[in-house]
Amino acid sequence: MPTYAYACKDCDHAFDIVQSFSDNSLTECPECKGALRKKFNSVGVVFKGSGFYRTDSRDAKGSTVSAAPASQAAPAAPAAAPATAAAAS
């Protein structure tokens, strides 16, 4: 279930509450009985905890991705001739 943030328009009391998608929005401040407004964040999903970053799934040895075998590697491009050698001929 998602967590929603509310703030009171009258006393500026702010709090978070876990509600179902089908629950109605809260309209009354629990402290002063004033009008509430739902606060919206710019991020729709927030990942909290471990396991969400690339480094969390790696073992201590390093990367889990293996390098391509040398026989399948692309051939190296030939080095460009120096500009002075072309001018001397």
Side-chain angles (χ1 to χ4, degrees):
M1 288 198 302
T3 301
Y4 294 101
Y6 287 93
C8 180
K9 294 179 182 179
D10 299 331
C11 71
D12 292 327
H13 173 67
F15 61 97
D16 295 340
I17 188 166
V18 177
Q19 290 181 297
S20 174
F21 288 111
S22 60
D23 290 346
N24 291 328
S25 295
L26 300 180
T27 57
E28 188 176 275
C29 177
E31 296 213 355
C32 73
K33 305 299 180 201
L36 282 179
R37 66 179 176 89
K38 190 182 282 188
K39 294 169 46 177
F40 293 97
N41 296 326
S42 60
V43 178
V45 177
V46 177
F47 297 104
K48 294 184 178 181
S50 63
F52 295 106
Y53 296 96
R54 183 175 177 182
T55 56
D56 289 344
S57 61
R58 290 186 174 181
D59 59 359
K61 296 177 188 172
S63 177
T64 58
V65 178
S66 61
S71 62
Q72 294 178 354
T84 55
S89 28

